[in-house]
Amino acid sequence: MPVSKEGRFAGESVFVTGAGSSVGRVMAQGFATEGARVHICDVLEKPLRETLDANPGMCGSIANVGNPAEVAQMFAEARAWMGDVTILVNTVGIGGPRAPVEEISDADWQESMAINVSGMFHCIREVVPAMKQARHGAIINFSSGSTRTGLPFRTPYVVSKYAVEGLTRNLARELGPDNIRVNAILPGMIDNERMRGIVRRTAEAQGRQPEQVQADYLRYISMQTMISPVEISDMVLFLASGAARHVTGQLIGVDGNVEWEF
């Protein structure tokens, strides 16, 4: 069904973290196309600048979400031009180390938790007061399909994503009386440069072709498919829209049903 001339997000102020590239960028562009005012952030200046240059009218900030002072500054910059945030999409996450648990350093563990969990907490804390006052808001957090499969040697990553799901479900209960909805997306094998890089590096390490490695991954996905950034964006925009006005506290896989990982 075609959207109205103004778009289904007309009047909304959207903040998308990690939107310099891949899924974050596609989501930000989707919101903007449908009428929202959009502010993005990224820790890297080059992709942030490329996204802003390609999307006139969108604004952004360089920030590390693991640093609460930088988070406070970027939300101050966003509020200065678009007002209070009504939709927050917490996309930022890092993969963390790949190592047996006994070899994981304190620094790697702490960085994974600081970015993947505390980063979301810092952002949510910034937007909730105004959402409560308006009795209107939607928050979408990014977890991972790996919480359903387990993933050996990636303990900090998986544990941090379990924490994201706990944060999501607990805040859905806490904020529901204020008409603020909180949901989480669990992506699968995303067809982006990061995943293609993982496949290439694995193939090189094993002396195999990338197509063979990719086929191994797809064996353990029921629908035997990678997921495009647009598919994830479509689900996020649905969850942020009025069509999902009573959808909250949900952990939604967009993954073709990941059965197992190696």
Side-chain angles (χ1 to χ4, degrees):
M1 179 181 297
V3 298
S4 67
K5 188 173 182 179
E6 294 80 15
R8 60 177 161 164
F9 295 108
E12 302 284 5
S13 296
V14 180
F15 200 111
V16 184
T17 71
S21 60
S22 190
V23 175
R25 176 171 174 163
V26 173
M27 292 186 299
Q29 291 174 161
F31 279 115
T33 297
E34 297 206 38
R37 298 177 296 268
V38 179
H39 195 100
I40 66 173
C41 78
D42 204 285
V43 72
L44 299 174
E45 183 174 3
K46 185 175 184 288
L48 180 78
R49 180 50 52 197
E50 289 173 349
T51 297
L52 295 179
D53 288 346
N55 294 276
M58 191 183 293
C59 291
S61 303
I62 302 285
N64 175 356
V65 298
N67 183 319
E70 292 186 22
V71 170
Q73 177 61 34
M74 74 181 185
F75 277 99
E77 292 169 0
R79 284 190 291 264
W81 81 271
M82 70 178 189
D84 293 322
V85 174
T86 59
I87 298 169
L88 170 65
V89 185
N90 278 314
T91 317
V92 170
I94 61 171
R98 180 177 180 86
V101 64
E102 68 272 20
E103 295 179 11
I104 296 167
S105 69
D106 289 346
D108 280 343
W109 175 269
Q110 290 161 5
E111 182 183 36
S112 296
M113 298 304 153
I115 302 299
N116 294 358
V117 186
S118 296
M120 291 192 184
F121 164 72
H122 298 149
C123 293
I124 291 167
R125 184 173 58 183
E126 285 286 331
V127 304
V128 161
M131 289 182 177
K132 282 185 173 181
Q133 186 173 9
R135 292 191 53 78
H136 172 71
I139 299 168
I140 298 105
N141 299 323
F142 270 60
S143 179
S144 169
S146 297
T147 61
R148 293 179 172 172
T149 63
L151 193 52
F153 310 111
R154 296 289 301 283
T155 295
Y157 176 75
V158 175
V159 169
S160 69
K161 292 302 185 178
Y162 269 116
V164 168
E165 295 177 9
L167 178 70
T168 298
R169 300 193 69 171
N170 203 65
L171 288 181
R173 181 175 177 184
E174 178 179 328
L175 300 175
D178 297 294
N179 199 39
I180 301 168
R181 299 179 296 108
V182 190
N183 293 290
I185 295 289
L186 285 63
M189 187 178 177
I190 302 175
D191 187 8
N192 61 6
E193 184 53 41
R194 176 181 176 274
M195 191 67 233
R196 289 189 289 272
I198 291 172
V199 170
R200 285 196 303 270
R201 290 190 293 275
T202 302
E204 289 169 4
Q206 296 177 356
R208 304 168 67 202
Q209 294 299 312
E211 294 79 10
Q212 294 173 308
V213 173
Q214 181 170 313
D216 281 347
Y217 281 111
L218 296 179
R219 282 176 58 200
Y220 302 105
I221 298 172
S222 300
M223 298 187 77
Q224 299 183 352
T225 183
M226 296 179 75
I227 303 298
S228 76
V230 171
E231 291 178 81
I232 296 172
S233 176
D234 286 345
M235 179 60 73
V236 169
L237 267 65
F238 165 73
L239 289 173
S241 75
R245 59 191 174 277
H246 294 144
V247 180
T248 192
Q250 302 306 302
L251 312 176
I252 300 174
V254 185
D255 60 4
N257 192 41
V258 176
E259 305 163 8
W260 187 78
E261 293 181 88
F262 59 92

